[in-house]
Amino acid sequence: MKITETTAAEYKEVFKRTQHIYNSVEFSELNKYKVKKLHYLFFEDTKIRFGIVLGENADNLLSPFSAPFGGLCFNKPQNIELIDEAVLQLKSFGEEHHKKTIITLPPTIYEQCQTVQCINSLSRAGKISYNEINYHFNIPYFHNYESIIERNAKKNLHKALKEEFTFTHVCNDNTEDIIRAYNVIKANRKEHGYPLRMSVENVLSTIKIIPADFFILTHSGCDVAAAQIFHVADGICQVIYWGDLRQYNSIRPMNYLAYRIFEYYYKEGIRILDIGPSTEHGIPNYGLCNFKESIGCSVSSRFTFEL
């Protein structure tokens, strides 16, 4: 197997559909200003088996370079022997460029068989930098929601259901309400000291290429909670940001917001809502872990490797 560097156009022609949106040419091109150079690579023997997009900065080759996860592209599942060959070629490519290659794979809920095989191969060829605890909600479980949530979460939900909340779904062509949702999220993250990596301009440009949903929760005429969610893979949506305003915490808007979002995607036929990690470089935020577990979320692993 050999690596061939190609163009964005040729890469897109071969990988017309990627396993998740963050590996697409459109997403890569939108964010290429964040790195020194993009490398579009084919891994081929008798045919093109895999592809990968790497962002190059001063020290590293990165997949992803501006997303939660990246990894190899493929048009059909490949066996572990071929994955091993590709990973060794990828490692050699980084060594030739005198850089470390950093790969964050999707959580194991995405293309599970191939992801697990990549975890095995990358862990033997390199080292695990960290393992994030990733949370998701299995949307079909919503039909029996109260039976799967914890007692305290049920109590908080019942309290929230007595409040006069207004829950609004915002499509990605409603700029005014998208900005409203963004401002709630911005205030939430400032209150908690969490970084907000996307500016409102980033959000508006990204949703031109990624289908997105925004949700706003109001109470007594005030915006009290919001969510930004991307459609990232077949049957899978991902919470990019969600949060409430601290002054309204006593009426449990997050329990209500989660409930209504789960209900919305249940009606839409979505399989999984990826809520993201509650760890940072492997270190857990206990409060976030406890909240996501209380509202019925399951866990998977999201590995980052260094070659």
Side-chain angles (χ1 to χ4, degrees), residues 22-247:
Y22 302 123
N23 274 352
S24 69
V25 168
E26 292 86 350
F27 187 83
S28 299
E29 289 294 306
L30 178 68
N31 291 283
K32 67 181 181 181
Y33 70 93
K34 298 178 182 179
V35 290
K36 177 182 173 182
K37 183 179 179 180
L38 283 189
H39 298 274
Y40 289 95
L41 305 179
F42 290 150
F43 300 77
E44 53 188 316
D45 43 28
T46 57
K47 62 182 72 174
I48 296 172
R49 302 286 184 176
F50 304 98
I52 197 167
V53 184
L54 297 177
E56 179 180 346
N57 63 19
D59 301 309
N60 302 310
L61 297 169
L62 304 164
S63 173
F65 60 92
S66 179
F69 44 81
L72 294 170
C73 285
F74 46 91
N75 284 324
K76 64 177 184 178
Q78 303 290 342
N79 64 45
I80 186 68
E81 184 178 2
L82 291 172
I83 294 172
D84 277 354
E85 289 184 40
V87 166
L88 290 176
Q89 288 296 319
L90 185 59
K91 184 175 183 179
S92 295
F93 184 84
E95 290 170 349
E96 289 167 8
H97 285 74
H98 306 290
K99 295 180 186 294
K100 296 176 183 177
T101 303
I102 310 296
I103 309 292
T104 298
L105 294 178
T108 47
I109 53 172
Y110 292 78
E111 297 285 347
Q112 186 176 37
C113 178
Q114 203 83 126
T115 299
V116 170
Q117 289 174 320
C118 287
I119 290 168
N120 176 273
S121 184
L122 285 163
S123 64
R124 286 182 286 108
K127 66 177 183 179
I128 298 172
S129 296
Y130 40 87
N131 173 20
E132 307 289 17
I133 301 173
N134 200 81
Y135 286 85
H136 65 279
F137 185 76
N138 290 296
I139 295 296
Y141 292 175
F142 181 77
H143 81 282
N144 200 23
Y145 184 63
E146 290 201 24
S147 70
I148 65 171
I149 61 177
E150 294 182 3
R151 181 179 178 182
N152 193 51
K154 190 183 300 184
K155 177 182 175 182
N156 290 337
L157 177 60
H158 287 172
K159 181 176 183 178
L161 287 170
K162 295 176 182 177
E163 296 288 335
E164 294 186 1
F165 287 117
T166 300
F167 175 78
T168 303
H169 169 245
V170 180
C171 298
N172 65 357
D173 59 354
N174 187 335
T175 301
E176 182 178 347
D177 283 348
I178 288 170
I179 293 172
R180 278 177 59 201
Y182 181 87
N183 285 338
V184 174
I185 291 163
K186 182 178 180 180
N188 166 267
R189 297 185 81 81
K190 183 176 181 181
E191 286 180 346
H192 291 276
Y194 301 151
L196 182 61
R197 294 186 173 94
M198 295 186 79
S199 68
V200 69
E201 292 80 14
N202 292 152
V203 171
L204 293 172
S205 61
T206 301
I207 63 175
K208 291 178 181 178
I209 62 169
I210 297 181
D213 296 304
F214 296 81
F215 300 93
I216 301 173
L217 198 63
T218 59
H219 188 275
S220 301
C222 298
D223 296 341
V224 301
Q228 173 186 331
I229 296 175
F230 287 169
H231 293 247
V232 295
D234 288 345
I236 303 179
C237 293
Q238 183 184 40
V239 174
I240 305 304
Y241 298 118
W242 69 359
D244 63 352
L245 301 183
R246 183 175 287 160
Q247 70 190 88

